[in-house]
Amino acid sequence: EVQLVQSGAEVKKPGESLKISCKASGYSFTSYWIGWVRQVPGKGLEWMGIIYPDDSEIRYSPSFQGQVTISADTSVNTAYLQWSSLKASDSAIYYCARSGGYCRGGRCYSSGYLQYWGQGTLVAVAS
Amino acid sequence: QSALTQPASVSGSPGQSITISCTGTSSDIGGYHYVSWYQQHPGKAPKLIIYDVGKRPSGVSNRFSASKSDNTASLTISGLQAEDEADYYCNSYSNSSSWVFGGGTKVTVL
């Protein structure tokens, strides 16, 4: 069974750093892209970026490029989303999700659809 | 990179069919065959209901169907049921080498 289990809720102050995690199980971690999605409570979904754990290729949304860092550790089947200096506007629920796609020439590519989702991590940033 | 445009709300009576539109540009929906749709109930993670324009994942009701024409994708829910009341989001690949969501549509079952 494919499962993505995210780290727990965080309460932080502006300017602090943060790294949240998404631990995958039930499939080959290096064969599928993992994406991150932001949702401010009461608002819509925002696509942040996606990583291919096998070689750490990352694609960021232009809106989030430079604002967050996406990474993955294949030794623990875990993807990460981190901030170096949080702002109040970063307060939101963050979801990780496994992407589907196709494989060609020994490498897999994402079609962008997010098939399996984590439970979400609530990040609250306030002074 | 702008969000795709969806109607804020759509409503229908049980048993009816409704259609949600998702309008983009030739740089996203019109240029690629990578459109997906998600259903989200309050307090829950989104659920994939359509991928690659019109394909349904295993286990998703065949009451959900989708297509695209030019720069607009559409999701149709037939035989509307109370459990279909939720928010729906479209998503498309964009030529900025990333993906973009629509603003979301709240479906109300009257």
Side-chain angles (χ1 to χ4, degrees), chain A residues 10-18 83-91 123-127:
Chain A
E10 302 274 1
V11 179
K12 291 289 192 179
K13 290 181 167 44
E16 291 186 331
S17 63
L18 176 64
W83 296 259
S84 58
S85 180
L86 286 160
K87 310 184 214 24
S89 57
D90 293 320
S91 297
V123 174
V125 183
S127 52

Side-chain angles (χ1 to χ4, degrees), chain A residues 37 39 43-48 50 59-63 95 102 110-115 117-120, chain B residues 1 34 36 38 40 43-48 50-52 57 89 91 93 96-103:
Chain A
V37 174
Q39 186 171 39
K43 303 295 185 182
L45 305 176
E46 298 174 272
W47 198 90
M48 301 178 71
I50 196 166
R59 298 187 184 182
Y60 290 100
S61 162
S63 301
Y95 292 101
Y102 58 95
S110 175
S111 297
Y113 64 89
L114 302 172
Q115 187 166 15
W117 292 69
Q119 82 276 21
Chain B
Q1 184 187 42
Y34 296 139
S36 53
Y38 303 84
Q40 187 180 34
K44 301 292 188 182
K47 174 188 175 183
L48 176 71
I50 295 287
Y51 69 100
D52 290 355
Y89 296 90
N91 177 275
Y93 181 73
S96 62
S97 295
S98 64
W99 283 262
V100 61
F101 281 104

Side-chain angles (χ1 to χ4, degrees), chain B residues 67-81:
Chain B
S67 62
K68 78 159 186 156
S69 176
D70 296 328
N71 299 336
T72 298
S74 299
L75 172 72
T76 297
I77 309 174
S78 57
L80 199 61
Q81 298 179 2

Side-chain angles (χ1 to χ4, degrees), chain A residues 68-91:
Chain A
V68 297
T69 301
I70 293 171
S71 61
D73 184 341
T74 57
S75 68
V76 290
N77 290 356
T78 301
Y80 302 96
L81 178 66
Q82 69 181 86
W83 296 259
S84 58
S85 180
L86 286 160
K87 310 184 214 24
S89 57
D90 293 320
S91 297

